[in-house]
Amino acid sequence: MDEGNHSASNLPLRRESGVDIENLDLLDGKERENRTTYGEPLLTKRKNTTSQIAIVGSNVCPIESLDYEIFENELFRQDWRSAKKIQVFQYVVLKWAFALLIGLVTGLVGFFNNIAVENIAGFKLLLTSDLMSDKKYYKAFAAYAASNVGLAAVAAALCAFIAPAAAGSGIPEVKAYLNGVDAHSILAPSTLFVKIFGSILGVSAGFVVGKEGPMVHTGACIASFLGQGGSRKYHLTWSWLRYFKNDRDRRDLITCGAAAGVAAAFRAPVGGVLFALEEAASWWRSALLWRTFFTTAVVAIVLRVFIQYCTTGNCGLFGQGGLIMYDVSAASETYSGPDILAVLFLGILGGIFGSIYNYLVDKVIRTYSIIHEKGAAAKILLVITIALLTSCLSYGLPWFVECQACPTDESVSCPTVGQSGNYKSFNCPSGYYNDLASLFLNTNDDAIRNLFSTSTKKEFHISSLFIFFAAVYFLGIITYGIAIPSGLFIPVILAGACYGRLVGRLFESISTLDTGLFALLGAASFLGGTMRMTVSLCIILLELTNDLLLLPLVMLVLLISKTVADNFNKGIYDQIVKIKGLPYLEAHAEPYMRHLVTSDVVSGPLVTFSGIEKVGCILDALRTTGHNGFPVIDEPPFSDAPELCGLVLRSHLLILLKGKIFSTDRVVCGAEILRRFAAFDFAKAGSGKGIKLEDLDIEEEEMDMYVDLHPITNASPYTVVETMSLAKAAILFRQLGLRHLCLVPKSQGRPPIVGILTRHDFMPEHILGLYPHIKSH
């Protein structure tokens, strides 16, 4: 929905290689009919005809901004002044109680995901292994492929029919939400359900995907569900839940949820906090740091309790392979000059591979979006096709490598039968193992553990590592973007660990580092090259591997890979945000914004209300526009001269009109409104539960009556002068978390407001559409 009350674009429908906003999976069918970009009506700036003005806002994109700003009207001030100490205490206690709940529930879901994947995938792999040991190779492939296809089809059906927004990683959507973008259904309960079960099924189906990215989305969904502030529909509206019926507190809870998701996925509580700080959140403060840290600590305790319980053997096939922990601390970690050279080489390699990976994933997602336009059946068919291809490669490629003799070390179980391990017999005779099958016919977590294993320099042949790297790199690219919950962390770690181990073999004559440590550094370099994070990835990897002594090398390789990759393209999550058309505000202003002022990007008729306005005029404006904010102007006799009284929200107008506190004369009746309404009545409803225009029942004779808007008008909206540079306004808009920014005239004798800026006015597509001669870089 259009945020401000101006028509802000002369853009045609944006289509980039088959991707446009109405084809996104996160929008439902009805919303896909709104053929606009970023909520800008399809109007031209130069042809401002009467017929065009009549439709301003009537055909707009459903993606809105969130209300992070404190809406300081008379109702809010009355509620603020009347707050007692016990209410303030309740609010503080509840924030910590919700942080505790988010940690508990996310930890439980994370454990459930792991135990389910280990048992489902473990049963499938045991069945395949048993048939292989009986020389029933065709039956083994049939069972393996059928299991994968069946699991994949169910995961795809859940995504296609119940919650399309659950497809993919979910991190870009959470990142956009925390930036202020209220995209449809990304945190809905249906999305949470599909994210949990779809992720379990997708990972169990053998796809080269992880459950770590979806866990971040899952944690955010759990936080959103708990922070809805109750439900009027189900009569769960305790008075103490009213504190959380606003976007500011929900934002903080969802930040805690995202951090908890990382902590549950990687058993990395500190890494979770740093991930939320570095990658997810757009606004941060010290109080939020404490709460996210507390949340992730709760997750760590929950996981530890259940891991201890599972050591008794009550969790089926769930064991060491469950909650990932790649311990490489046993390896020798003394390093010298040649080792640093190898690390430099790995960093450069990771930056190049990462940027190519991001480029190809971008193209694949755009291509898949064209297939997804054809409906749910096409989505499911694409998933089944990729599942069959993955099954054929996983089962077929190990046949092309030679069997290797088992190590002579008696402490090693070779070949491993009926459990996860480094030595799969596959088609090999007794005393031999197939090194490629040990990587392919394992869960992704176990494959990474095998690659990270130390003191096993020649366990994997160089040719096997080349084949596995090429296959995982290729499958990781073509799998991301299909209609299943899929994370990017695990495919990237797998591919990075593989070429890291290869580099370790190439440098073994001059390097003293273990090949398992090279695998870890390779994973770090590829992560830095694709995701462009540094601090959080460094800590996550250290918590994963229990290896603090490797910290300098991990830091170095992350910095190098990120620096190299930044010269080619953006990080993978930033690219996906752009592909999905989410109006994300960057932390910095684009260079061309310095050459424009705020008034340059404002266009269209400005719809304003008087402080005491006719009911019919308000209804007409609400029907003919899609604006979410309207300036309120006081005129004589209520003021000496026209002056800006403030800003009123569309949702507040609907609630006020439904209350029907009207007067036949144009008089102030704010006292009656303050008596009848409380600030809680204007609190933001949960997703999809607010009052709509169709819910109003206004009689014909009421259309000529008046309503006082002063009590619900934000009397202190953020305003800037129309000559402020657009670059400065963009930074101000993002840092304050605004939804509307009012422009006031520089000179006197003009109307008190000249326009409103919303996040859509800062989007490059809008600005470059208005001024195509400006170079984007």
Side-chain angles (χ1 to χ4, degrees):
M1 199 173 266
D2 194 10
E3 299 295 350
N5 51 57
H6 51 83
S7 62
S9 178
N10 67 337
L11 295 176
L13 176 66
R14 170 172 169 252
R15 181 178 285 273
E16 296 177 4
S17 306
V19 177
D20 55 0
I21 193 69
E22 76 270 25
N23 292 324
L24 298 180
D25 284 342
L26 59 85
L27 302 181
D28 62 25
K30 182 179 179 182
E31 289 167 324
R32 282 194 285 269
E33 295 170 5
N34 295 316
R35 295 180 175 270
T36 67
T37 299
Y38 289 151
E40 297 151 354
L42 298 181
L43 307 177
T44 62
K45 190 175 182 181
R46 298 170 184 82
K47 297 180 181 179
N48 203 11
T49 64
T50 305
S51 61
Q52 286 170 326
I53 293 173
I55 64 165
V56 169
S58 59
N59 184 24
V60 293
C61 174
I63 295 183
E64 303 179 14
S65 290
L66 296 164
D67 291 308
Y68 289 157
E69 180 186 353
I70 294 176
F71 210 77
E72 200 172 344
N73 53 32
E74 290 181 27
L75 282 165
F76 174 81
R77 288 172 180 166
Q78 178 177 275
D79 185 66
W80 207 357
R81 286 191 294 262
S82 62
K84 299 175 182 177
K85 287 185 178 180
I86 186 65
Q87 292 174 317
V88 176
F89 177 75
Q90 281 180 339
Y91 174 61
V92 173
V93 170
L94 278 173
K95 285 199 293 189
W96 287 94
F98 273 119
L100 174 66
L101 275 175
I102 292 166
L104 286 172
V105 177
T106 307
L108 289 171
V109 170
F111 178 75
F112 172 72
N113 280 7
N114 279 279
I115 203 171
V117 167
E118 285 294 311
N119 280 283
I120 295 172
F123 176 78
K124 175 192 71 178
L125 293 170
L126 280 176
L127 176 62
T128 306
S129 178
D130 290 342
L131 290 170
M132 288 286 294
S133 61
D134 293 337
K135 311 297 182 185
K136 299 176 181 177
Y137 300 128
Y138 291 108
K139 284 186 178 180
F141 173 70
Y144 180 71
S147 301
N148 287 345
V149 169
L151 293 167
V154 176
L158 287 173
C159 271
F161 293 112
I162 298 177
S169 166
I171 292 177
E173 288 86 348
V174 173
K175 184 176 177 177
Y177 183 93
L178 294 175
N179 187 259
V181 179
D182 191 11
H184 175 72
S185 75
I186 61 172
L187 299 174
S190 58
T191 305
L192 172 62
F193 172 80
V194 174
K195 204 75 183 184
I196 294 171
F197 291 98
S199 176
I200 291 169
L201 295 169
V203 175
S204 301
F207 286 116
V208 183
V209 297
K211 52 189 178 294
E212 287 67 33
M215 266 309 302
V216 175
H217 195 178
T218 299
C221 288
I222 290 168
S224 176
F225 181 74
L226 292 174
Q228 286 289 322
S231 169
R232 294 179 184 177
K233 181 179 178 182
Y234 298 107
H235 306 291
L236 299 174
T237 52
W238 296 286
S239 60
W240 45 269
L241 283 176
R242 71 183 184 275
Y243 301 121
F244 296 93
K245 282 187 173 289
N246 64 80
D247 286 326
R248 294 183 311 281
D249 284 313
R250 288 180 192 172
R251 174 188 68 191
D252 291 351
L253 289 174
I254 288 164
T255 304
C256 290
V262 174
F266 291 109
R267 283 173 62 190
V270 179
V273 175
L274 292 175
F275 175 85
L277 170 61
E278 183 179 5
E279 183 66 13
S282 293
W283 295 279
W284 196 263
R285 59 188 191 280
S286 57
L288 186 58
L289 177 68
W290 278 97
R291 255 184 295 150
T292 51
F293 187 69
F294 172 69
T295 306
T296 56
V298 172
V299 172
I301 293 169
V302 169
L303 293 179
R304 173 52 57 190
V305 168
F306 280 95
I307 289 170
Q308 289 295 111
Y309 171 75
C310 284
T311 55
T312 60
N314 294 323
C315 300
L317 297 173
F318 178 82
Q320 187 188 15
L323 284 155
I324 51 178
M325 186 72 178
Y326 313 124
D327 195 339
V328 296
S329 58
S332 172
E333 289 154 356
T334 56
Y335 38 87
S336 55
D339 299 320
I340 303 298
L341 287 176
V343 169
L344 293 174
F345 178 69
L346 267 179
I348 295 168
L349 207 60
I352 295 170
F353 280 145
S355 57
I356 295 171
Y357 192 89
N358 289 4
Y359 174 80
L360 294 174
V361 166
D362 182 286
K363 298 303 177 188
V364 166
I365 293 175
R366 293 180 188 278
T367 304
Y368 284 171
S369 70
I370 301 171
I371 299 172
H372 290 168
E373 289 178 28
K374 303 182 186 301
K379 293 180 182 181
I380 297 171
L381 188 61
L382 177 62
V383 171
I384 290 173
T385 303
I386 302 297
L388 270 175
L389 177 61
T390 304
S391 300
C392 291
L393 290 177
S394 299
Y395 189 86
L397 288 176
W399 291 89
F400 293 95
V401 299
E402 294 181 359
C403 295
Q404 297 196 58
C406 287
T408 55
D409 187 357
E410 294 182 1
S411 63
V412 174
S413 174
C414 180
T416 50
V417 179
Q419 59 180 337
S420 61
N422 294 32
Y423 307 100
K424 294 285 185 183
S425 62
F426 196 62
N427 60 335
C428 297
S430 179
Y432 289 82
Y433 72 98
N434 188 309
D435 58 346
L436 198 53
S438 301
L439 296 174
F440 273 122
L441 295 180
N442 252 325
T443 61
N444 291 333
D445 288 354
D446 284 331
I448 294 172
R449 186 173 289 104
N450 292 348
L451 288 169
F452 280 6
S453 59
T454 55
S455 305
T456 54
K457 182 176 288 187
K458 296 186 178 180
E459 174 188 340
F460 301 103
H461 196 270
I462 288 179
S463 61
S464 298
L465 291 173
F466 268 115
I467 293 170
F468 186 70
F469 169 69
V472 166
Y473 196 88
F474 168 71
L475 289 173
I477 290 168
I478 66 167
T479 304
Y480 194 84
I482 62 176
I484 61 166
S486 51
L488 279 167
F489 273 98
I490 290 300
V492 169
I493 292 175
L494 263 176
C498 201
Y499 75 69
R501 201 169 180 99
L502 270 170
V503 170
R505 293 292 297 273
L506 294 175
F507 280 84
E508 63 183 348
S509 59
I510 60 171
S511 174
T512 58
L513 280 178
D514 191 282
T515 50
L517 299 182
F518 269 107
L520 169 61
L521 294 171
S525 72
F526 201 18
L527 284 168
T530 53
M531 298 179 185
R532 314 296 160 83
M533 293 182 282
T534 52
V535 180
S536 56
L537 281 180
C538 184
I539 299 304
I540 287 171
L541 287 171
L542 292 179
E543 290 184 283
L544 268 178
T545 56
N546 191 27
D547 191 6
L548 191 60
L549 294 176
L550 211 60
L551 176 62
L553 296 184
V554 174
M555 292 171 68
L556 182 63
V557 81
L558 281 169
L559 288 169
I560 294 170
S561 61
K562 173 178 164 53
T563 304
V564 170
D566 278 340
N567 290 303
F568 298 102
N569 49 31
K570 288 188 173 184
I572 187 69
Y573 296 134
D574 292 322
Q575 288 188 189
I576 294 169
V577 164
K578 185 176 180 181
I579 293 169
K580 295 203 168 190
L582 299 170
Y584 184 87
L585 286 173
E586 298 289 349
H588 61 276
E590 297 293 341
Y592 57 79
M593 290 184 178
R594 300 171 195 158
H595 304 288
L596 299 170
V597 295
T598 51
S599 60
D600 290 334
V601 296
V602 174
S603 58
L606 187 66
V607 181
T608 64
F609 293 138
S610 299
I612 299 173
E613 187 60 85
K614 266 191 177 183
V615 173
C617 292
I618 297 174
L619 279 175
D620 185 57
L622 294 177
R623 287 194 184 107
T624 57
T625 72
H627 311 321
N628 275 310
F630 298 87
V632 177
I633 296 175
D634 272 337
E635 297 173 333
F638 299 101
S639 62
D640 296 334
E643 64 179 31
L644 179 63
C645 176
L647 195 74
V648 65
L649 293 181
R650 181 188 193 91
S651 58
H652 292 183
L653 285 171
L654 291 170
I655 295 167
L656 184 64
L657 291 176
K658 193 171 179 64
K660 293 191 175 186
I661 305 179
F662 307 146
S663 60
T664 54
D665 300 316
R666 198 178 181 196
V667 295
V668 175
C669 55
E672 176 65 16
I673 293 173
L674 291 173
R675 189 179 64 81
R676 286 266 303 272
F677 286 103
F680 172 66
D681 296 318
F682 291 88
K684 184 167 182 177
S687 53
K689 300 173 186 175
I691 295 175
K692 297 178 177 61
L693 191 61
E694 301 78 40
D695 299 330
L696 299 181
D697 183 23
I698 305 296
E699 304 293 338
E700 188 64 34
E701 60 271 16
E702 293 173 326
M703 298 291 280
D704 292 324
M705 299 180 76
Y706 294 90
V707 60
D708 188 357
L709 301 182
H710 292 100
I712 65 167
T713 299
N714 180 10
S716 55
Y718 284 95
T719 60
V720 296
V721 70
E722 61 181 336
T723 53
M724 176 184 278
S725 75
L726 192 62
K728 187 176 180 181
I731 294 170
L732 179 74
F733 193 95
R734 187 188 191 271
Q735 288 181 345
L736 294 175
L738 301 181
R739 186 177 186 180
H740 304 99
L741 185 62
C742 300
L743 300 190
V744 295
K746 187 175 183 181
S747 57
Q748 295 182 347
R750 296 171 59 193
I753 183 169
V754 297
I756 292 180
L757 290 181
T758 69
R759 70 172 48 241
H760 305 297
D761 297 309
F762 295 104
M763 292 297 109
E765 290 80 0
H766 168 52
I767 299 168
L768 298 176
L770 293 175
Y771 303 99
H773 63 280
I774 294 178
K775 293 182 179 180
S776 58
H777 297 290

